[in-house]
Amino acid sequence: MNCINRQIKNLRKSKDITQEQLAEIVGVSPQAVSRWECGTTYPDILLLPRLAEVFNTTVDELLGVNEKQKAEEITNIINEAEKLINKNITVEPIKNLRKALEKYPKNDRLLCTLLYALYVASEDEALCCEYDEEIISIAEWIEKYSVDNYCRNEANRVLFRHYCDTDRKKEALYIATKMADIETCIQRNKYWSLEGKERVEFLKERISDDLRQLLWDIWAFSEHSYLDEIEKSELDKLRENIDNSVNLRFDL
């Protein structure tokens, strides 16, 4: 909070109010406001929301945190974490995400990425037990408090998979009731709001996503059905033909 003294002083002057007036509004002594602005002491953390309200700003801005820079920093942290997580490297991302959450507590995007990192790490049976409570706690917090639909849907998806992986089918089925139906999700309905090139690009992206899902379904069917080697080979050829044909046709 090394710049909050300057912020309070500048914001007070921009509102054209005296230290005495600010003190009366906030409910402290004029000497306290003077000490804040001199940097001798800092406002009690419980006063920050009230000060932000008085100055018509946010607590982050009051503390000198630029919202654009904050968003960019969080995005960079998440991108770096996801690169490692996608390579099944989780120790470093979990450490970095925990550190970022110390700076930005309860940020739902950071929490959502940490949740995914913990889930991926839970492929190790020992870590699955170690992270179980934290996975559930983070997912439930996001589902309850986040206003970001992506984060809420992702939290439910991860928690559903975690419950399935740990043989808690009853809990998994309950989570499933909160998940969006495929016919009501944005991927199935956004098309109607688009026109021209945007509509075409959206359809190409959806075909690509649907193709990946179809190929995964064929692979899963091959793996979990009682098929002989000839039938499995035919399914492998089918996957390859679909993949090649669609990629060539739509340049995906």
Side-chain angles (χ1 to χ4, degrees), residues 74-137:
I74 288 173
T75 296
N76 289 336
I77 292 169
I78 290 172
N79 288 343
E80 290 303 311
E82 287 179 342
K83 285 179 185 177
L84 295 175
I85 296 168
N86 289 336
K87 296 178 182 178
N88 212 34
I89 300 170
T90 56
V91 174
E92 185 178 343
I94 289 173
K95 178 182 176 182
N96 292 340
L97 289 164
R98 292 193 195 285
K99 186 176 180 181
L101 281 162
E102 291 177 6
K103 185 174 182 180
Y104 303 114
K106 298 300 184 182
N107 180 275
D108 45 6
R109 293 176 61 212
L110 289 170
L111 281 170
C112 193
T113 311
L114 175 59
L115 174 66
Y116 182 59
L118 294 170
Y119 172 71
V120 173
S122 292
E123 290 182 10
D124 180 293
E125 189 173 343
L127 291 177
C128 185
C129 294
E130 180 180 340
Y131 293 146
D132 180 69
E133 286 188 16
E134 187 173 9
I135 288 172
I136 297 170
S137 175

Side-chain angles (χ1 to χ4, degrees), residues 76-239:
N76 289 336
I77 292 169
I78 290 172
N79 288 343
E80 290 303 311
E82 287 179 342
K83 285 179 185 177
L84 295 175
I85 296 168
N86 289 336
K87 296 178 182 178
N88 212 34
I89 300 170
T90 56
V91 174
E92 185 178 343
I94 289 173
K95 178 182 176 182
N96 292 340
L97 289 164
R98 292 193 195 285
K99 186 176 180 181
L101 281 162
E102 291 177 6
K103 185 174 182 180
Y104 303 114
K106 298 300 184 182
N107 180 275
D108 45 6
R109 293 176 61 212
L110 289 170
L111 281 170
C112 193
T113 311
L114 175 59
L115 174 66
Y116 182 59
L118 294 170
Y119 172 71
V120 173
S122 292
E123 290 182 10
D124 180 293
E125 189 173 343
L127 291 177
C128 185
C129 294
E130 180 180 340
Y131 293 146
D132 180 69
E133 286 188 16
E134 187 173 9
I135 288 172
I136 297 170
S137 175
I138 292 174
E140 289 181 344
W141 189 93
I142 292 173
E143 205 278 333
K144 185 174 182 179
Y145 295 109
S146 178
V147 295
D148 186 317
N149 283 334
Y150 172 82
C151 288
R152 296 175 76 248
N153 290 335
E154 179 66 4
N156 281 330
R157 183 187 75 87
V158 171
L159 186 55
F160 172 80
R161 294 282 296 273
H162 178 64
Y163 278 145
C164 288
D165 292 346
T166 52
D167 200 28
R168 285 176 279 189
K169 299 297 169 51
K170 182 179 179 181
E171 290 86 345
L173 289 173
Y174 172 71
I175 297 299
T177 65
K178 302 180 182 182
M179 299 169 76
D181 184 274
I182 191 169
E183 293 304 322
T184 62
C185 70
I186 187 172
Q187 289 81 0
R188 280 285 174 264
N189 292 280
K190 188 177 179 180
Y191 163 88
W192 302 102
S193 67
L194 304 175
E195 295 179 357
K197 186 177 179 180
E198 275 192 316
R199 177 175 280 186
V200 172
E201 290 302 313
F202 170 76
L203 286 172
K204 285 178 64 175
E205 184 177 341
R206 201 173 82 178
I207 289 169
S208 180
D209 290 340
D210 288 347
L211 172 65
R212 282 194 292 270
Q213 185 61 52
L214 173 62
L215 296 178
W216 190 90
D217 286 345
I218 294 173
W219 172 84
F221 178 76
S222 175
E223 285 294 307
H224 301 294
S225 297
Y226 297 102
L227 302 176
D228 58 36
E229 291 304 315
I230 295 176
E231 291 172 315
K232 284 189 176 185
S233 177
E234 289 175 349
L235 281 177
D236 288 339
K237 289 179 182 177
L238 175 62
R239 289 175 59 234

